[in-house]
Amino acid sequence: METNLLAFPVSALFVVLIGFVWYNPKVFGTIWMRESGLTKEDLKTGNMLKIFAFTYIFALMISITLLSLTVHQTGALAMVGGVTALDSTLPSYAAFMADYGGAFRTFKHGALHGFGSGLFFAFPVVAINGLLERKSWKYIFIHAGFWTVTLTIMGAIICGWV
């Protein structure tokens, strides 16, 4: 299966870009700071280069995972035994890809699976952490909303562009 490797770093960049907007004081930043118990002075501390570098690295990890969640053809390769040589695959895989290689490879389909990943994976993870940390539902919904929107966009990019 041919893969546009540029889709991964571009989709990962959207984590940072959406975060800049989402957590801006004019959007959800003020509420998020209040619900987190943070001040503007608190946010000025820390090594911002390190924070954003790690954020981007973790976002790359998420983008690679989204490939298997949004592009169904990745499962077909595993089912037929994977690549048998550096540049050849089993005939059954080649036949499958000839018939179905382009099926469901759209931005819309990726957005659907990205949204599902946000709603059914990211939201529960954020909610569990928030509940255990005794955070408010506002806090939980701000973070879960961020991840649902972000994963929707990342899924669209990965599925439609890979």
Side-chain angles (χ1 to χ4, degrees):
M1 183 172 77
E2 290 186 30
T3 304
N4 180 354
L5 296 178
L6 193 56
F8 300 111
V10 169
S11 70
L13 184 61
F14 274 86
V15 174
V16 177
L17 296 176
I18 295 168
F20 278 129
V21 173
W22 196 268
Y23 293 101
N24 183 294
K26 293 181 181 178
V27 184
F28 295 111
T30 303
I31 299 168
W32 165 70
M33 284 189 294
R34 184 177 64 241
E35 297 301 314
S36 298
L38 296 169
T39 64
K40 288 183 181 181
E41 289 75 30
D42 293 332
L43 297 180
K44 292 177 183 177
T45 63
N47 183 336
M48 294 309 290
L49 179 61
K50 183 178 176 182
I51 291 168
F52 286 114
F54 276 109
T55 297
Y56 186 74
I57 290 167
F58 293 140
L60 277 171
M61 294 166 64
I62 292 169
S63 71
I64 292 166
T65 302
L66 277 174
L67 177 67
S68 63
L69 297 174
T70 61
V71 178
H72 303 300
Q73 291 81 351
T74 56
L77 181 60
M79 289 178 59
V80 297
V83 177
T84 58
L86 290 177
D87 60 344
S88 67
T89 57
L90 296 171
S92 57
Y93 178 73
F96 176 84
M97 289 304 287
D99 290 341
Y100 303 106
F104 301 107
R105 299 283 296 272
T106 65
F107 290 99
K108 182 179 172 181
H109 186 80
L112 174 69
H113 283 283
F115 178 79
S117 298
L119 186 62
F120 294 106
F121 188 76
F123 172 59
V125 168
V126 168
I128 289 168
N129 283 351
L131 292 169
L132 293 172
E133 294 172 3
R134 309 309 193 261
K135 297 294 185 182
S136 70
W137 281 103
K138 285 181 186 178
Y139 173 92
I140 291 168
F141 285 129
I142 287 169
H143 287 305
F146 164 75
W147 280 112
T148 302
V149 168
T150 302
L151 289 168
T152 300
I153 293 170
M154 289 178 76
I157 292 168
I158 296 292
C159 189
W161 201 15
V162 167

